[in-house]
Every structure is written in C-alpha cells, then in structure tokens.
Amino acid sequence: MIPNLTTEQRRENLEKAKAARRRRAAILKGVADGSYSVVDVLNMALEDETVLRMKVFTLIKAAPGYGFARTQQTMKRLHISESRRIKGLGANQRAALVEVFS
C-alpha cells in the first residue's frame, strides 16, 4: 500500500533523491577522469548507502577505456548481471572486480 505523504514529506524525499543522484554522478565523473578507481568506489560503498545503490554496469562503463561493449564483455566474463547493483555483489564477484581493476 502506498503511504499517504504530506507535501512537505514528498518535497524532502525528492530533495534526498536529488542529492543521491548528484553524489553518484560526481563519483562516476571522478572515475571517468581518474580521480577514483573502480576499487576506490567499491571501498566507498562499504560506508555509503548512496554508492551501494549504484549499478555495477554504470560504474565499469565510467572507467577509462571501457565503453558499452567492453563493459558487457567484462560483466559476462565475471558472471555479473547487467542489472546488478554494488549492494548485490557476492564476495566472489567483488573479488573478481577488484582483481580486474587493480
């Protein structure tokens, strides 16, 4: 059942969502320009719920030298679904990502 929210609660939730999208976009930009590595972002995710909700496909695709096709190949090779989020990675999948991007 959908909760009945006041206008103020909706506005607060929208602001929280906007802040989370901005944070994820800033991190992806940092990965693209080399400020962060994929491993750095995986380590950030241990402490930050916003980063945990980022899709792995988007993270890898932001890495320098990775486009759509290479990202698909990497995900398939590591047995990670394209819809998987960082929060849903298993220990072996996470270790494989760290190995590939170290």
Side-chain angles (χ1 to χ4, degrees), residues 72-86:
Q72 273 187 322
Q73 291 168 354
T74 303
M75 301 258 311
K76 187 176 278 191
R77 186 170 33 114
L78 299 177
H79 304 290
I80 300 173
S81 170
E82 288 186 21
S83 61
R84 179 74 59 205
R85 295 185 187 276
I86 293 174

Side-chain angles (χ1 to χ4, degrees), residues 11-68:
R11 189 174 300 121
E12 288 174 12
N13 289 342
L14 288 170
E15 288 301 320
K16 286 180 189 177
K18 192 186 302 183
R21 286 192 301 271
R22 283 188 185 134
R23 172 112 171 93
R24 285 191 291 268
I27 290 170
L28 290 174
K29 186 176 181 187
V31 171
D33 68 19
S35 301
Y36 300 121
S37 70
V38 172
V39 178
D40 292 338
V41 176
L42 290 174
N43 290 333
M44 267 188 246
L46 298 174
E47 302 161 3
D48 190 347
E49 182 71 27
T50 304
V51 180
L52 275 177
R53 295 183 179 186
M54 185 183 298
K55 289 197 173 193
V56 177
F57 188 89
T58 308
L59 173 62
I60 294 173
K61 190 175 171 201
Y66 282 81
F68 187 84

